mmCIF file with all atom_site columns, all heavy atoms in Angstrom:
data_model
loop_
_atom_site.group_PDB
_atom_site.id
_atom_site.type_symbol
_atom_site.label_atom_id
_atom_site.label_alt_id
_atom_site.label_comp_id
_atom_site.label_asym_id
_atom_site.label_entity_id
_atom_site.label_seq_id
_atom_site.pdbx_PDB_ins_code
_atom_site.Cartn_x
_atom_site.Cartn_y
_atom_site.Cartn_z
_atom_site.occupancy
_atom_site.B_iso_or_equiv
_atom_site.pdbx_formal_charge
_atom_site.auth_seq_id
_atom_site.auth_comp_id
_atom_site.auth_asym_id
_atom_site.auth_atom_id
_atom_site.pdbx_PDB_model_num
ATOM 1  N N   . PRO A 1 44 ? -1.983 13.960 -3.255  1.00 97.00 ? 44 PRO A N   1
ATOM 2  C CA  . PRO A 1 44 ? -2.561 13.946 -4.602  1.00 97.00 ? 44 PRO A CA  1
ATOM 3  C C   . PRO A 1 44 ? -1.657 14.648 -5.606  1.00 97.00 ? 44 PRO A C   1
ATOM 4  O O   . PRO A 1 44 ? -1.052 15.672 -5.302  1.00 97.00 ? 44 PRO A O   1
ATOM 5  C CB  . PRO A 1 44 ? -3.875 14.720 -4.434  1.00 97.00 ? 44 PRO A CB  1
ATOM 6  C CG  . PRO A 1 44 ? -4.206 14.604 -2.988  1.00 97.00 ? 44 PRO A CG  1
ATOM 7  C CD  . PRO A 1 44 ? -2.886 14.562 -2.274  1.00 97.00 ? 44 PRO A CD  1
ATOM 8  N N   . GLY A 1 45 ? -1.560 14.067 -6.789  1.00 92.00 ? 45 GLY A N   1
ATOM 9  C CA  . GLY A 1 45 ? -0.783 14.672 -7.861  1.00 92.00 ? 45 GLY A CA  1
ATOM 10 C C   . GLY A 1 45 ? 0.714  14.437 -7.789  1.00 92.00 ? 45 GLY A C   1
ATOM 11 O O   . GLY A 1 45 ? 1.459  14.974 -8.599  1.00 92.00 ? 45 GLY A O   1
ATOM 12 N N   . SER A 1 46 ? 1.160  13.620 -6.842  1.00 94.00 ? 46 SER A N   1
ATOM 13 C CA  . SER A 1 46 ? 2.595  13.356 -6.710  1.00 94.00 ? 46 SER A CA  1
ATOM 14 C C   . SER A 1 46 ? 3.116  12.579 -7.903  1.00 94.00 ? 46 SER A C   1
ATOM 15 O O   . SER A 1 46 ? 2.421  11.735 -8.472  1.00 94.00 ? 46 SER A O   1
ATOM 16 C CB  . SER A 1 46 ? 2.879  12.532 -5.452  1.00 94.00 ? 46 SER A CB  1
ATOM 17 O OG  . SER A 1 46 ? 2.602  13.269 -4.310  1.00 94.00 ? 46 SER A OG  1
ATOM 18 N N   . ILE A 1 47 ? 4.346  12.848 -8.247  1.00 93.00 ? 47 ILE A N   1
ATOM 19 C CA  . ILE A 1 47 ? 5.027  12.075 -9.277  1.00 93.00 ? 47 ILE A CA  1
ATOM 20 C C   . ILE A 1 47 ? 5.775  10.965 -8.554  1.00 93.00 ? 47 ILE A C   1
ATOM 21 O O   . ILE A 1 47 ? 6.602  11.231 -7.681  1.00 93.00 ? 47 ILE A O   1
ATOM 22 C CB  . ILE A 1 47 ? 5.996  12.960 -10.084 1.00 93.00 ? 47 ILE A CB  1
ATOM 23 C CG1 . ILE A 1 47 ? 5.199  14.044 -10.805 1.00 93.00 ? 47 ILE A CG1 1
ATOM 24 C CG2 . ILE A 1 47 ? 6.807  12.114 -11.053 1.00 93.00 ? 47 ILE A CG2 1
ATOM 25 C CD1 . ILE A 1 47 ? 6.056  15.079 -11.503 1.00 93.00 ? 47 ILE A CD1 1
ATOM 26 N N   . ILE A 1 48 ? 5.428  9.716  -8.887  1.00 92.00 ? 48 ILE A N   1
ATOM 27 C CA  . ILE A 1 48 ? 6.031  8.574  -8.211  1.00 92.00 ? 48 ILE A CA  1
ATOM 28 C C   . ILE A 1 48 ? 6.489  7.550  -9.239  1.00 92.00 ? 48 ILE A C   1
ATOM 29 O O   . ILE A 1 48 ? 6.034  7.563  -10.386 1.00 92.00 ? 48 ILE A O   1
ATOM 30 C CB  . ILE A 1 48 ? 5.048  7.913  -7.223  1.00 92.00 ? 48 ILE A CB  1
ATOM 31 C CG1 . ILE A 1 48 ? 3.785  7.447  -7.945  1.00 92.00 ? 48 ILE A CG1 1
ATOM 32 C CG2 . ILE A 1 48 ? 4.701  8.861  -6.091  1.00 92.00 ? 48 ILE A CG2 1
ATOM 33 C CD1 . ILE A 1 48 ? 2.819  6.656  -7.089  1.00 92.00 ? 48 ILE A CD1 1
ATOM 34 N N   . THR A 1 49 ? 7.357  6.645  -8.800  1.00 86.00 ? 49 THR A N   1
ATOM 35 C CA  . THR A 1 49 ? 7.761  5.555  -9.670  1.00 86.00 ? 49 THR A CA  1
ATOM 36 C C   . THR A 1 49 ? 6.613  4.563  -9.755  1.00 86.00 ? 49 THR A C   1
ATOM 37 O O   . THR A 1 49 ? 5.829  4.412  -8.816  1.00 86.00 ? 49 THR A O   1
ATOM 38 C CB  . THR A 1 49 ? 9.014  4.849  -9.119  1.00 86.00 ? 49 THR A CB  1
ATOM 39 O OG1 . THR A 1 49 ? 8.710  4.327  -7.817  1.00 86.00 ? 49 THR A OG1 1
ATOM 40 C CG2 . THR A 1 49 ? 10.190 5.800  -9.042  1.00 86.00 ? 49 THR A CG2 1
ATOM 41 N N   . LEU A 1 50 ? 6.511  3.889  -10.871 1.00 83.00 ? 50 LEU A N   1
ATOM 42 C CA  . LEU A 1 50 ? 5.407  2.960  -11.086 1.00 83.00 ? 50 LEU A CA  1
ATOM 43 C C   . LEU A 1 50 ? 5.862  1.508  -11.139 1.00 83.00 ? 50 LEU A C   1
ATOM 44 O O   . LEU A 1 50 ? 5.102  0.650  -11.574 1.00 83.00 ? 50 LEU A O   1
ATOM 45 C CB  . LEU A 1 50 ? 4.653  3.323  -12.365 1.00 83.00 ? 50 LEU A CB  1
ATOM 46 C CG  . LEU A 1 50 ? 3.919  4.661  -12.330 1.00 83.00 ? 50 LEU A CG  1
ATOM 47 C CD1 . LEU A 1 50 ? 3.249  4.944  -13.665 1.00 83.00 ? 50 LEU A CD1 1
ATOM 48 C CD2 . LEU A 1 50 ? 2.891  4.684  -11.219 1.00 83.00 ? 50 LEU A CD2 1
ATOM 49 N N   . GLU A 1 51 ? 7.094  1.233  -10.709 1.00 91.00 ? 51 GLU A N   1
ATOM 50 C CA  . GLU A 1 51 ? 7.512  -0.166 -10.714 1.00 91.00 ? 51 GLU A CA  1
ATOM 51 C C   . GLU A 1 51 ? 6.659  -0.943 -9.724  1.00 91.00 ? 51 GLU A C   1
ATOM 52 O O   . GLU A 1 51 ? 6.247  -0.419 -8.695  1.00 91.00 ? 51 GLU A O   1
ATOM 53 C CB  . GLU A 1 51 ? 9.002  -0.325 -10.405 1.00 91.00 ? 51 GLU A CB  1
ATOM 54 C CG  . GLU A 1 51 ? 9.389  -0.254 -8.940  1.00 91.00 ? 51 GLU A CG  1
ATOM 55 C CD  . GLU A 1 51 ? 9.486  1.154  -8.374  1.00 91.00 ? 51 GLU A CD  1
ATOM 56 O OE1 . GLU A 1 51 ? 9.280  2.138  -9.097  1.00 91.00 ? 51 GLU A OE1 1
ATOM 57 O OE2 . GLU A 1 51 ? 9.755  1.255  -7.179  1.00 91.00 ? 51 GLU A OE2 1
ATOM 58 N N   . TYR A 1 52 ? 6.363  -2.183 -10.071 1.00 91.00 ? 52 TYR A N   1
ATOM 59 C CA  . TYR A 1 52 ? 5.530  -3.020 -9.222  1.00 91.00 ? 52 TYR A CA  1
ATOM 60 C C   . TYR A 1 52 ? 6.400  -3.648 -8.149  1.00 91.00 ? 52 TYR A C   1
ATOM 61 O O   . TYR A 1 52 ? 7.413  -4.279 -8.450  1.00 91.00 ? 52 TYR A O   1
ATOM 62 C CB  . TYR A 1 52 ? 4.862  -4.112 -10.061 1.00 91.00 ? 52 TYR A CB  1
ATOM 63 C CG  . TYR A 1 52 ? 3.852  -4.902 -9.285  1.00 91.00 ? 52 TYR A CG  1
ATOM 64 C CD1 . TYR A 1 52 ? 2.551  -4.456 -9.177  1.00 91.00 ? 52 TYR A CD1 1
ATOM 65 C CD2 . TYR A 1 52 ? 4.205  -6.079 -8.649  1.00 91.00 ? 52 TYR A CD2 1
ATOM 66 C CE1 . TYR A 1 52 ? 1.603  -5.162 -8.457  1.00 91.00 ? 52 TYR A CE1 1
ATOM 67 C CE2 . TYR A 1 52 ? 3.272  -6.796 -7.924  1.00 91.00 ? 52 TYR A CE2 1
ATOM 68 C CZ  . TYR A 1 52 ? 1.982  -6.336 -7.834  1.00 91.00 ? 52 TYR A CZ  1
ATOM 69 O OH  . TYR A 1 52 ? 1.050  -7.037 -7.124  1.00 91.00 ? 52 TYR A OH  1
ATOM 70 N N   . VAL A 1 53 ? 6.024  -3.483 -6.893  1.00 92.00 ? 53 VAL A N   1
ATOM 71 C CA  . VAL A 1 53 ? 6.761  -4.057 -5.768  1.00 92.00 ? 53 VAL A CA  1
ATOM 72 C C   . VAL A 1 53 ? 5.805  -4.964 -4.990  1.00 92.00 ? 53 VAL A C   1
ATOM 73 O O   . VAL A 1 53 ? 4.795  -4.493 -4.465  1.00 92.00 ? 53 VAL A O   1
ATOM 74 C CB  . VAL A 1 53 ? 7.323  -2.951 -4.843  1.00 92.00 ? 53 VAL A CB  1
ATOM 75 C CG1 . VAL A 1 53 ? 8.012  -3.549 -3.634  1.00 92.00 ? 53 VAL A CG1 1
ATOM 76 C CG2 . VAL A 1 53 ? 8.267  -2.048 -5.612  1.00 92.00 ? 53 VAL A CG2 1
ATOM 77 N N   . VAL A 1 54 ? 6.116  -6.248 -4.964  1.00 92.00 ? 54 VAL A N   1
ATOM 78 C CA  . VAL A 1 54 ? 5.291  -7.197 -4.222  1.00 92.00 ? 54 VAL A CA  1
ATOM 79 C C   . VAL A 1 54 ? 5.326  -6.826 -2.744  1.00 92.00 ? 54 VAL A C   1
ATOM 80 O O   . VAL A 1 54 ? 6.376  -6.513 -2.194  1.00 92.00 ? 54 VAL A O   1
ATOM 81 C CB  . VAL A 1 54 ? 5.807  -8.636 -4.434  1.00 92.00 ? 54 VAL A CB  1
ATOM 82 C CG1 . VAL A 1 54 ? 5.059  -9.611 -3.545  1.00 92.00 ? 54 VAL A CG1 1
ATOM 83 C CG2 . VAL A 1 54 ? 5.679  -9.029 -5.893  1.00 92.00 ? 54 VAL A CG2 1
ATOM 84 N N   . GLY A 1 55 ? 4.169  -6.817 -2.110  1.00 94.00 ? 55 GLY A N   1
ATOM 85 C CA  . GLY A 1 55 ? 4.093  -6.517 -0.691  1.00 94.00 ? 55 GLY A CA  1
ATOM 86 C C   . GLY A 1 55 ? 3.951  -5.043 -0.369  1.00 94.00 ? 55 GLY A C   1
ATOM 87 O O   . GLY A 1 55 ? 3.956  -4.660 0.794   1.00 94.00 ? 55 GLY A O   1
#
Side-chain angles (χ1 to χ4, degrees):
S46 293
I47 297 173
I48 59 174
T49 60
L50 294 178
E51 80 280 359
Y52 187 86
V53 177
V54 174

